[in-house]
Amino acid sequence: QGNVAFRVMAKSKYDYFTDKRDGKIYKIVTIGNQVWMAQNMNYFIDDKKSCNCYDKKDLNCEIYGRLYAFKVLKDVCPDGWHVPGKEEFETLLKNYPNAGKAYLELLSSGSSGFNSLNGGFIDDDRESGGLEDHANYWSSTAINEGTAWRLLVGGRRRNAVMDNAHQVYSYSVRCVKN
């Protein structure tokens, strides 16, 4: 009888990292034995053709992060982090039994903590597309002078797969810890 008081403390799946270059704070999550940023990069690079907000709206950068052309990838991630190569994305995907399950787990509603947001892309004519439909994440692995690997999450098939893309397009970037 009487009142009983107790406190429940939940452990978040996220830790946090502060980018010393601009002071932005990013969620980070461990998936398998990799540590990933759980948000799209939003680091400004002064190159209007290579670093933009979807539809040129600042609010889209705040929500979805910036979209980057392949040529500036070396400048996107902070010290101690890097743009993942094709093999690192493939390691991420191997945590799930198939592309459909990976899609569900990598979304913001999934349990992985990757928190993929369908931030779209900017094409070679500088037109924005794909917002809320799919996410494209650059890999640092080039295929040839004009194409590189990307992780595609979403789209018509609702899966997560590696695909090739034109390097002049602008996509989201997730960083993985060195």
Side-chain angles (χ1 to χ4, degrees), residues 13-14 27-31 36-39 92 96 104-116 174:
K13 70 175 90 182
Y14 298 109
K27 290 179 184 176
I28 60 174
V29 66
T30 300
I31 302 173
W36 290 89
M37 288 200 175
Q39 293 173 260
L92 172 68
Y96 310 101
L104 293 172
E105 293 298 325
L106 296 177
L107 289 176
S108 59
S109 58
S111 65
S112 73
F114 189 81
N115 198 30
S116 180
R174 286 292 174 98

Side-chain angles (χ1 to χ4, degrees), residues 31-49:
I31 302 173
N33 32 353
Q34 297 173 306
V35 179
W36 290 89
M37 288 200 175
Q39 293 173 260
N40 297 344
M41 286 302 298
N42 190 15
Y43 179 68
F44 176 74
I45 296 171
D46 194 13
D47 183 335
K48 298 234 186 292
K49 290 188 177 183

Side-chain angles (χ1 to χ4, degrees), residues 116-131:
S116 180
L117 296 174
N118 296 338
F121 62 89
I122 299 173
D123 67 18
D124 55 343
D125 291 326
R126 310 312 307 150
E127 297 294 323
S128 298
L131 188 68

